[in-house]
Amino acid sequence: MLLVCLLQAGSAFFCAAANAQDTSEIGIGLGATNYRGEVSPEYQLKNSRPALTVFYRKDVSAPVTLRGGFTAGFLRAADDNVRGVNGGTPPLQSYRQVNTKGSVFEASAVLEYNFLDYHYRTDKLHFSPYLFVGVAGFYANTTTESKNSSLGGSFNQEGSMLGLAVPAGVGIKYALSKHINLGLEAGVRKTFTDKLDHLAEQDQLLVNPHDQDWYYYSGVSLSYTFYKIPCPKVYKKNEALLE
């Protein structure tokens, strides 16, 4: 409901400026990917691993931007990092002693909704917060191991998979100059699988089969804006005379 209200307010604000834009951007970003799932039931900052992204943006109107991108990063999580109510490792994680690590590659297409027109050069501050949502395909290659030898190696698994995810999040854009822009973004990827950590088929007493996996990307970016210069209108000689 909050998102709908914000979009309605933004639409009213931009109703006079929603014409097609002649700007596009190409950029690169550095940040971190993070995993949440069976081995990490909650988001843990210590699980963050380096990631790189490249993207292309096309401004459809002042508030709406389409973006295509490719992101590559690493994933990791460990039962030892989970903390219970008493500050120690919970009994399940202490017994299981599982850790997961690997990499993820993502191709995405998202729609960004800008609340301000940060390309409008007469403003003193050229920035805009934005929301984004879209669709992504990902390839993940991960390894899961247990340090508990009594489990007989059943938790030691590795493999790769292809999947779909829904990326969504928030960000802010700041135009440093006419062509150079700085960005800051944080987003989540909702997957439709429980197999990133290879635990879905394990003993149901030691895993949660209903807890699907998520991953995140957060980072900063630099982009370059291209302005489409319309060709001057050429008048025929007789049309110029009539004018």
Side-chain angles (χ1 to χ4, degrees), residues 37-41 78-80 82-84 86 88-99 146-148 150-151 155 199 202-209 211:
E38 182 63 41
V39 190
S40 179
D79 278 342
D80 293 343
V82 179
R83 292 292 174 262
N86 60 355
T89 305
L92 171 61
Q93 283 77 13
S94 181
Y95 173 73
R96 197 171 57 184
Q97 300 182 46
V98 163
N99 68 81
S146 173
K147 295 185 292 184
N148 186 347
S150 66
L151 294 177
F155 279 77
L199 299 184
Q202 300 299 327
D203 187 339
Q204 301 300 297
L205 296 177
L206 299 178
V207 300
N208 180 2
D211 183 19

Side-chain angles (χ1 to χ4, degrees), residues 25-177:
E25 299 174 36
I26 187 170
I28 186 170
L30 292 174
T33 42
N34 200 301
Y35 152 93
R36 181 171 73 83
E38 182 63 41
V39 190
S40 179
E42 297 180 355
Y43 180 91
Q44 297 182 30
L45 187 61
K46 65 177 67 177
N47 288 339
S48 298
R49 283 295 178 265
L52 172 72
T53 185
V54 292
F55 59 87
Y56 172 79
R57 281 188 176 117
K58 174 60 181 176
D59 294 312
V60 178
S61 65
V64 177
T65 299
L66 298 180
R67 184 183 77 196
F70 179 81
T71 302
F74 296 97
L75 302 174
R76 85 144 192 194
D79 278 342
D80 293 343
N81 294 332
V82 179
R83 292 292 174 262
V85 293
N86 60 355
T89 305
L92 171 61
Q93 283 77 13
S94 181
Y95 173 73
R96 197 171 57 184
Q97 300 182 46
V98 163
N99 68 81
T100 297
K101 59 183 178 180
S103 57
V104 61
F105 302 90
E106 173 195 274
S108 63
V110 305
L111 182 148
E112 300 175 347
Y113 188 88
N114 308 293
F115 290 93
L116 298 171
D117 187 356
Y118 79 110
H119 286 309
Y120 192 53
R121 302 308 302 174
T122 60
D123 289 340
K124 292 183 179 180
L125 293 178
H126 316 292
F127 79 98
S128 177
Y130 66 92
L131 302 175
F132 71 90
V133 65
V135 62
F138 70 88
Y139 169 83
N141 190 335
T142 56
T143 299
T144 297
E145 298 177 337
S146 173
K147 295 185 292 184
N148 186 347
S149 59
S150 66
L151 294 177
S154 61
F155 279 77
N156 298 339
Q157 305 287 335
E158 63 178 308
S160 59
M161 65 166 296
L162 292 170
L164 294 175
V166 175
V170 299
I172 187 168
K173 308 171 184 177
Y174 182 79
L176 298 174
S177 67

